Amino acid sequence: MRKPFIIANWKMNKNVHESVDFVRAIKEKLPANKEIGIAAQAVSLYNMKKVAGASNLQIIAQNAAAELEGPYTGEISMRSLADAGVTYVMLGHLERRRLFNESNTAINQKVLAALKAGIVPIICTDEEMVQTEVNGKIHYVFQQLKSVLRDVPVNKLSQIVISYEPSWAVGSSHQANPEIAEEGCQAIRQSLADTYNNDIADKMRILYGGSVNPHNIYQIMSKPNVDGALIGRASLDIDSFLQMINYVELASKEKLQVI
């Protein structure tokens, strides 16, 4: 069974002190039946990991270089991130593609570098897909994801995390639609099954990202192909984030209040 994974993506928010204080406030309140992570600015990651200690909080990098070392001024090495205790790295986020012109080829190189350094990639992908019909059955091919996963060893695929992010939902005020989240995640899973096999597709966790908040996370997480959420602005507040990582309890509480 795939373990739910809830991730806060802070983008370029919170300084070192704010990041450490946030970790200190939540680290003893994390549910054991879910994986919880925070993707913060690189300058904060080492200190966050030290404060997180032996808790099950995953410290996540928002980006890193494709090269493990060398004359690349301003870049961040995957090896250095691993040495700092980073367990995951987010790659291919829509904002990286739009603002920094990151290509599928560049992201693919970063995925391979992350795996070489022992860091698990969280690969972000949007709704770019090609619909095909085979023997009367509709299949989806995510060209973006197919390119980014090129040359990844088959035995490494099941540990990789995918995040489905519709471009219209990222950084917007739109309400996330649970049906759209399920449709996109299911299509990605089918595409993985078609490209590799059902076993790999069943093991890979697929998250949904885009306008997730305390009011819609339970409905989104209730969908069978949604294994987690990548949360932006709603994750910046401690109480809001704690509510979202305990979405089942939150839904029960709201139902009781309505009654």
Side-chain angles (χ1 to χ4, degrees), residues 1-249:
M1 186 174 179
R2 299 182 298 267
K3 190 173 187 177
F5 198 1
I6 309 296
I7 300 173
N9 177 18
W10 286 348
K11 307 188 180 185
M12 204 171 69
N13 293 295
K14 295 192 183 296
N15 61 29
V16 176
H17 297 297
E18 291 167 339
S19 302
V20 166
D21 287 345
F22 192 105
V23 171
R24 192 174 284 118
I26 72 165
K27 69 175 185 175
E28 304 298 336
K29 302 175 182 178
L30 305 178
N33 63 338
K34 303 182 190 76
E35 196 166 8
I36 309 299
I38 298 176
Q41 296 187 73
V43 70
S44 301
L45 299 176
Y46 179 72
N47 289 317
M48 289 171 68
K49 179 62 182 176
K50 283 179 68 177
V51 173
S55 73
N56 66 341
L57 181 66
Q58 305 296 337
I59 303 303
I60 301 169
Q62 295 179 7
N63 184 44
E67 300 295 335
L68 297 180
E69 59 185 13
Y72 304 100
T73 302
E75 288 295 290
I76 300 167
S77 164
M78 296 280 186
R79 277 193 185 140
S80 296
L81 289 175
D83 189 50
V86 170
T87 44
Y88 291 89
V89 61
M90 200 164 57
L91 299 172
H93 190 279
L94 183 64
E95 290 165 353
R96 297 292 312 175
R97 291 175 178 274
R98 282 181 174 173
L99 301 176
F100 301 97
N101 300 313
E102 288 195 359
S103 65
N104 290 334
T105 300
I107 297 163
N108 171 248
Q109 291 170 348
K110 291 182 178 188
V111 169
L112 297 174
L115 292 171
K116 194 175 291 185
I119 298 178
V120 178
I122 299 168
I123 300 173
C124 303
T125 189
D126 63 21
E127 70 274 17
E128 290 181 16
M129 58 185 173
V130 177
Q131 192 179 80
T132 60
E133 186 174 334
V134 180
N135 297 325
K137 194 174 180 182
I138 296 297
H139 293 260
Y140 298 93
V141 178
F142 282 74
Q143 300 286 21
Q144 187 185 87
L145 193 54
K146 189 175 181 180
S147 297
V148 169
L149 290 173
R150 184 175 291 119
D151 297 328
V152 171
V154 174
N155 65 341
K156 297 282 188 180
L157 284 166
S158 60
Q159 65 183 259
I160 289 175
V161 178
I162 307 295
S163 179
Y164 168 58
E165 301 179 304
S167 57
W168 55 265
V170 176
S172 76
S173 58
H174 287 88
Q175 282 295 313
N177 186 315
E179 302 304 326
I180 291 176
E182 168 63 11
E183 182 182 341
C185 291
Q186 193 280 328
I188 289 174
R189 201 174 304 283
Q190 180 188 303
S191 179
L192 291 168
D194 292 342
T195 304
Y196 303 104
N197 58 57
N198 287 328
D199 185 55
I200 287 173
D202 287 341
K203 287 178 179 176
M204 290 181 74
R205 288 185 291 182
I206 304 174
L207 319 182
Y208 174 78
S211 304
V212 179
N213 59 52
H215 304 295
N216 57 33
I217 189 167
Y218 177 77
Q219 288 78 15
I220 290 169
M221 290 300 300
S222 297
K223 298 301 180 182
N225 284 288
V226 179
D227 303 314
L230 184 61
I231 307 165
R233 67 168 67 101
S235 71
L236 293 171
D237 178 77
I238 291 172
D239 291 335
S240 173
F241 189 57
L242 286 173
Q243 285 181 333
M244 287 184 287
I245 66 178
N246 293 291
Y247 53 85
V248 175
E249 293 82 354

